[in-house]
Amino acid sequence: MDGEKVGLGIWDYVMFSLMLIISAAIGVYFRFSGSKQKTTDEYLLAGKDMSILPVSFSLMASFMSATTIIGTPMEIYYFGAQLAYVNVSYITGMTISAFVTLPVYFEMKASTIYEYVDRRFGKHTRILTSVTFVIQMILYMSIVLYAPALALSAVTDMSMWISIVAVGIVCTFYCTIGGMKAVLWTDVFQSFLMFFGVIAVLIKGFYDVGFEDVFKIARDGGRLGAPSLDPSFYKRYTLWNIIAQGIILSMGSFSANQVQVQRLLTLKNINRSRRALFVSMPIGVPLHLLICLTGIVLYAYFEKCDPLSPPNNPIHHGDQLLPYFMMKSLSDYSGLAGICICGIFSACLSTVSSCVNSLTAVTMQDLIRPFLLAKGLSEGKLTVAAQLISEY
């Protein structure tokens, strides 16, 4: 079984192609509708007139990357469901961000978080932090694109480089021509694919193993335990490090990360922005819990035939577990495995498109705009410059 790969069917490729086509079409629609991205405010912040629901879905989709969808089940498979408890501290950190840091950006009428850095610490610090963000996002996008493509290419006949190039080109296309509105609405579409993919895996897993048997096997294998109260720094999961992890990660994302804050700034005022953040909680938390449950189902499904155990293991890394299950269990249903793969790449697209849009905003507003304004460029030309930055 070593190196075993499952061939994708024609309908799987059709589903993958449709996902890319629909995402691109949303970008085309917003390029030729509304104000047609004529100002940097419209292009980068959707004119600050977005409704709450698409922003809430976008917050969730950009927070849940493809590495979360394929990495979390692996973590649960190996170490148990303690990670699921982090959702409580996620909610705590997001609530703190909503009332402590978010009002600051609205009072300043900021378009990037580094405008606050400028006022607080000076122009040079703003430039330094902006450049650091640009480098960080370029490296992060590389991982987000590469990781799912690598995992899927290991268990299917899907070409890793073709999938990377296709996703990268489509993402750049709709980000460039459609601006922030296209990014937000494609995130809504991609969110539904993420939910569908995870739910399809769970239904098939429970059907194959049995609902009660899944939890019995997981309980007997020690995968359903609660976090320990032990204060030790040497244990992988305790109540204390889970609380700290969730609060720090969520506050870092929704208080000091341009990717998430920029979405919150697309609403008219602080009250609507807070509501969007609160609405995103009952969207994101259930999805994360379902992803954690997927790890439990995978553990029960592979209880007697661990695909990672040598000598005849068909896969060699934990991040291949979910793609391997999809192909092994769902490939008999035409197109279903393809839709689930679309769910993984939708998470990838939503995260990368969010990063591209935020990179454009930071590069334009923090690094290039002052220079271009000194040259006397009009608002229309500034918008064209932003679109060129997004493309390249």
Side-chain angles (χ1 to χ4, degrees):
M1 296 176 63
D2 192 31
E4 173 186 319
K5 291 189 177 183
V6 180
L8 292 171
I10 183 65
W11 284 107
D12 298 319
Y13 285 109
V14 167
M15 294 299 108
F16 182 70
S17 300
L18 279 175
M19 181 266 292
L20 296 178
I21 291 170
I22 292 172
S23 298
I26 293 172
V28 172
Y29 173 79
F30 284 105
R31 172 63 182 87
F32 296 103
S33 66
S35 60
K36 302 180 182 180
Q37 322 301 324
K38 291 182 179 179
T39 67
T40 53
D41 187 62
E42 171 71 21
Y43 186 70
L44 299 174
L45 294 173
K48 296 188 176 182
D49 65 348
M50 285 299 298
S51 54
I52 290 171
L53 200 57
V55 175
S56 298
F57 272 100
S58 182
L59 289 169
M60 181 281 295
S62 55
F63 191 65
M64 299 284 183
S65 68
T67 52
T68 301
I69 290 183
I70 63 176
T72 301
M74 173 191 70
E75 183 73 11
I76 304 296
Y77 185 91
Y78 281 128
F79 303 105
Q82 293 95 328
L83 185 61
Y85 291 84
V86 78
N87 286 283
V88 176
S89 45
Y90 279 160
I91 293 172
T92 304
M94 292 166 74
T95 303
I96 293 172
S97 297
F99 288 98
V100 176
T101 57
L102 193 57
V104 175
Y105 299 123
F106 271 91
E107 289 173 10
M108 291 177 52
K109 298 182 179 179
S111 56
T112 75
I113 63 174
Y114 303 110
E115 293 178 33
Y116 169 78
V117 175
D118 189 349
R119 295 194 186 185
R120 182 68 176 82
F121 301 105
K123 184 180 298 183
H124 296 298
T125 305
R126 176 182 182 178
I127 293 172
L128 176 62
T129 52
S130 298
V131 170
T132 302
F133 173 79
V134 169
I135 296 171
Q136 175 197 358
M137 285 297 103
I138 291 173
L139 295 174
Y140 179 61
M141 285 192 297
S142 302
I143 295 171
V144 169
L145 272 171
Y146 181 71
L150 178 64
L152 284 163
S153 67
V155 300
T156 73
D157 59 0
M158 175 178 280
S159 168
M160 178 179 69
W161 292 111
I162 289 177
S163 59
I164 289 175
V165 171
V167 169
I169 289 175
V170 170
C171 183
T172 303
F173 175 76
Y174 71 72
C175 287
T176 301
I177 69 168
M180 176 60 95
K181 283 186 178 179
V183 171
L184 293 172
W185 282 105
T186 51
D187 282 352
V188 175
F189 164 64
Q190 291 154 6
S191 295
F192 283 104
L193 289 177
M194 291 161 64
F195 270 102
F196 184 92
V198 173
I199 291 171
V201 167
L202 288 173
I203 291 173
K204 188 59 167 63
F206 279 121
Y207 176 80
D208 289 344
V209 181
F211 187 83
E212 294 182 357
D213 290 339
V214 165
F215 293 102
K216 182 180 183 303
I217 293 169
R219 184 172 57 252
D220 293 343
R223 295 303 189 272
L224 296 181
S228 166
L229 295 177
D230 193 328
S232 171
F233 289 99
Y234 297 96
K235 287 197 172 183
R236 189 176 190 87
Y237 291 115
T238 66
L239 177 64
W240 319 114
N241 66 34
I242 284 178
I243 290 174
Q245 173 189 343
I247 291 177
I248 292 171
L249 182 59
S250 56
M251 286 191 65
S253 295
F254 297 100
S255 294
N257 189 326
Q258 176 66 20
V259 173
Q260 300 291 3
V261 173
Q262 188 172 340
R263 270 133 198 76
L264 292 166
L265 294 176
T266 62
L267 293 126
K268 290 181 180 179
N269 54 53
I270 182 63
N271 290 329
R272 290 179 64 82
S273 186
R274 281 182 183 141
R275 284 162 59 190
L277 187 55
F278 292 145
V279 170
S280 74
M281 295 179 189
I283 300 173
V285 170
L287 179 59
H288 189 261
L289 291 175
L290 290 174
I291 294 171
C292 291
L293 182 58
T294 300
I296 296 296
V297 169
L298 294 180
Y299 178 81
Y301 184 87
F302 291 120
E303 178 201 14
K304 297 179 180 178
C305 54
D306 182 11
L308 290 162
S309 298
N312 296 318
N313 47 313
I315 58 175
H316 303 281
H317 303 285
D319 60 359
Q320 298 165 0
L321 269 169
L322 181 58
Y324 178 68
F325 172 84
M326 288 178 176
M327 300 313 302
K328 183 179 176 65
S329 182
L330 301 176
S331 57
D332 290 338
Y333 303 89
S334 296
L336 186 56
I339 296 177
C340 292
I341 289 173
C342 287
I344 294 176
F345 276 110
S346 289
C348 176
L349 271 169
S350 64
T351 302
V352 173
S353 63
S354 300
C355 292
V356 168
N357 195 263
S358 299
L359 272 173
T360 303
V362 170
T363 305
M364 181 64 197
Q365 301 296 91
D366 296 323
L367 301 177
I368 297 179
R369 185 184 180 90
F371 173 77
L372 296 180
L373 285 176
K375 295 291 185 179
L377 266 68
S378 65
E379 183 64 28
K381 291 182 178 179
L382 290 175
T383 305
V384 172
Q387 291 173 332
L388 290 173
I389 292 168
S390 179
E391 183 175 357
Y392 294 104

